Amino acid sequence: MGNHGSNLDDILAEDMHHWYNKFMRESPSGLITLFELKAILNLKGITENANSYVEQVFFTFDMDGDGYIDFVEYIAAISLLLKGEINQKLKWYFKLFDQDGNGKIDKDELETIFTAIQDITRNRDIDPEEIVMLIFERIDVNGEGELTLEEFIEGAREHTDIMDMLKNLMDLTPVLEIIVNGRQAITDD
């Protein structure tokens, strides 16, 4: 994973004109739909949870809620994930985890997302249920079974092991590399 960072740092350092050309090659209309994102990522035959996760990622990147990811949203999302400050990333994670949009994360939402991520990445090193139990054990100090944005950010920042787990689990570098490098990376296999 160490060389992912330097490779993507180099990619981000490229000028906007180059980025724009890559984006337009992938999506000549200037907009990426959910269907196109799934095609770019070559996601076929994924589980229902994994499909829900991809949809949640899409709708989180679709900042204006118009059903498309445009160039500005595309650059903002990639920049956030690669270069964003930790508070920005934690807010993005929270929005992604909060599937019902009620401003709180419960255990089921978190476990569903972690399971879906593992379905996509095929990385099953840690049991999602164990991760969720640990997070709630450490962060949900009131024992309510839900985390607010403030609790989530504060708790993650206070517990470096949880922060490291989140960073590892939420590493979208392989996904971003496919998006950045275009479909060519998929078709060369």
Side-chain angles (χ1 to χ4, degrees):
M1 254 195 283
N3 64 0
H4 282 308
S6 60
N7 183 21
L8 286 172
D9 285 344
D10 293 343
I11 290 168
L12 255 190
E14 295 175 11
D15 66 78
M16 281 299 141
H17 180 71
H18 188 71
W19 271 97
Y20 185 74
N21 286 338
K22 283 183 178 186
F23 181 82
M24 293 307 288
R25 255 194 322 269
E26 251 341 285
S27 186
S29 70
L31 302 169
I32 297 175
T33 64
L34 176 58
F35 178 80
E36 287 170 328
L37 179 65
K38 288 178 183 178
I40 290 167
L41 299 177
N42 200 24
L43 299 176
K44 296 176 188 137
I46 59 177
T47 66
E48 191 176 322
N49 278 347
N51 191 53
S52 294
Y53 168 71
V54 172
E55 289 175 7
Q56 190 76 9
V57 168
F58 178 85
F59 293 122
T60 304
F61 284 172
D62 177 18
M63 295 169 208
D64 63 6
D66 65 356
Y68 301 96
I69 297 174
D70 61 27
F71 180 69
V72 172
E73 291 166 329
Y74 170 81
I75 289 296
I78 291 173
S79 295
L80 168 68
L81 292 173
L82 296 179
K83 300 262 186 201
E85 292 180 18
I86 198 62
N87 273 3
Q88 293 171 313
K89 286 183 180 183
L90 288 171
K91 284 179 185 174
W92 186 82
Y93 294 164
F94 185 88
K95 185 176 176 187
L96 185 64
F97 298 152
D98 183 16
Q99 293 178 301
D100 61 11
N102 71 350
K104 296 178 182 177
I105 304 170
D106 63 37
K107 292 178 183 179
D108 288 340
E109 287 174 316
L110 211 49
E111 191 171 334
T112 298
I113 291 290
F114 290 154
T115 301
I117 292 169
Q118 288 183 344
D119 286 346
I120 292 170
T121 63
R122 309 277 191 254
N123 176 2
R124 292 180 173 81
D125 292 346
I126 308 167
D127 179 31
E129 194 174 336
E130 288 178 33
I131 299 167
V132 171
M133 283 176 46
L134 177 68
I135 288 172
F136 274 84
E137 193 176 283
R138 298 260 184 88
I139 297 179
D140 185 20
V141 290
N142 301 335
E144 300 162 324
E146 296 180 318
L147 300 174
T148 63
L149 175 62
E150 293 75 25
E151 286 174 315
F152 178 71
I153 290 175
E154 193 174 306
R157 290 183 68 98
E158 286 177 11
H159 297 87
T160 54
D161 56 339
I162 289 177
M163 181 69 85
D164 291 341
M165 235 187 303
L166 286 170
K167 283 181 189 172
N168 192 21
L169 269 169
M170 299 304 296
D171 181 16
L172 296 178
T173 302
V175 171
L176 291 174
E177 284 183 339
I178 291 170
I179 292 170
V180 166
N181 295 326
R183 288 192 183 108
Q184 194 61 40
I186 295 167
T187 57
D188 286 347
D189 289 345

